Amino acid sequence: MFKRWMIVGLIVVLAASTCGAYDNKYFLGFNGGASTITGGDSAKFTLRKSFGGVLGYRLGERWFGELSVSTHSNYNDTAATSSFSFGGEEANATRKWSATRMGLSVNHLLFAPENRFNMSLGVGTGLMVWKILDPDTDTTIDVRGTLN
C-alpha cells in the first residue's frame, strides 16, 4: 500500500513540474493527470488518465495568456469495491463518460520571470462538453432536465 502512495506522490510531483521559455512570445505545453466523477451511490467511476495541451502567448514581462484543451474518458466499474481505485475494468462498465474541456486564462507572474520557481495568479473561464454513453450499444444516454 505504501508503494502505491509513493508512486502516486511521484506522479503528482512530476506532473506539477513546469519550465518556462521567457525569451519567446509563444509557448506550447502538454499535461496529463487523473480524473474521476463523484456523486451518487451506484456509479463507481474509477480514476482514469486524462491528457491535454496548452498554447500560450506572452503579453508582457509578467503577463501571459493561455488557451488549454484536455480530454477525459471514465468508465463506471460496477465490480469496483470503492470509487478510489485506478484504471477499472471496461468490461464491467455500464456507463462511459467522455468529455473535452476548453479553457482560456490570463495570468500574472508573482515573481521575476528569471526565478527558478515561480507562481502566477490569474483569471480564466472554461467550457466542458461531455456525454454519457452505454458502452455495450455505443449509444448516448439522454439526460432530460427541467427548468425552474
Side-chain angles (χ1 to χ4, degrees):
M1 184 67 168
F2 179 72
K3 185 186 271 190
R4 178 183 285 180
W5 284 109
M6 289 297 291
I7 291 171
V8 170
L10 182 63
I11 290 170
V12 168
V13 168
L14 291 176
S17 301
T18 61
C19 62
Y22 292 103
D23 294 335
N24 299 319
K25 280 282 196 190
Y26 297 95
F27 59 90
L28 179 67
F30 300 100
N31 56 26
S35 63
T36 188
I37 303 171
T38 59
D41 292 332
S42 61
K44 295 182 178 180
F45 287 92
T46 57
L47 284 172
R48 304 260 315 174
K49 56 186 170 277
S50 60
F51 300 100
V54 176
L55 178 64
Y57 180 73
R58 213 172 124 208
L59 303 168
E61 184 172 333
R62 291 192 179 188
W63 288 94
F64 62 95
E66 289 183 339
L67 178 63
S68 62
V69 175
S70 60
T71 180
H72 309 268
S73 180
N74 294 74
Y75 294 88
N76 75 330
D77 185 356
T78 56
T81 57
S82 74
S83 61
F84 188 77
S85 61
F86 292 101
E89 294 292 328
E90 293 178 20
N92 297 328
T94 58
R95 300 289 183 261
K96 176 187 175 187
W97 178 79
S98 61
T100 302
R101 184 199 160 278
M102 297 157 281
L104 176 67
S105 64
V106 176
N107 304 290
H108 183 283
L109 292 174
L110 297 179
F111 306 114
E114 305 84 39
N115 286 1
R116 182 174 172 93
F117 297 101
N118 213 328
M119 295 188 307
S120 64
L121 183 65
V123 62
T125 185
L127 171 71
M128 181 174 279
V129 179
W130 60 272
K131 64 181 174 180
I132 296 179
L133 298 171
D134 182 347
D136 292 332
T137 60
D138 198 27
T139 57
T140 302
I141 296 172
D142 190 16
V143 181
R144 299 187 189 277
T146 59
L147 295 174
N148 299 330

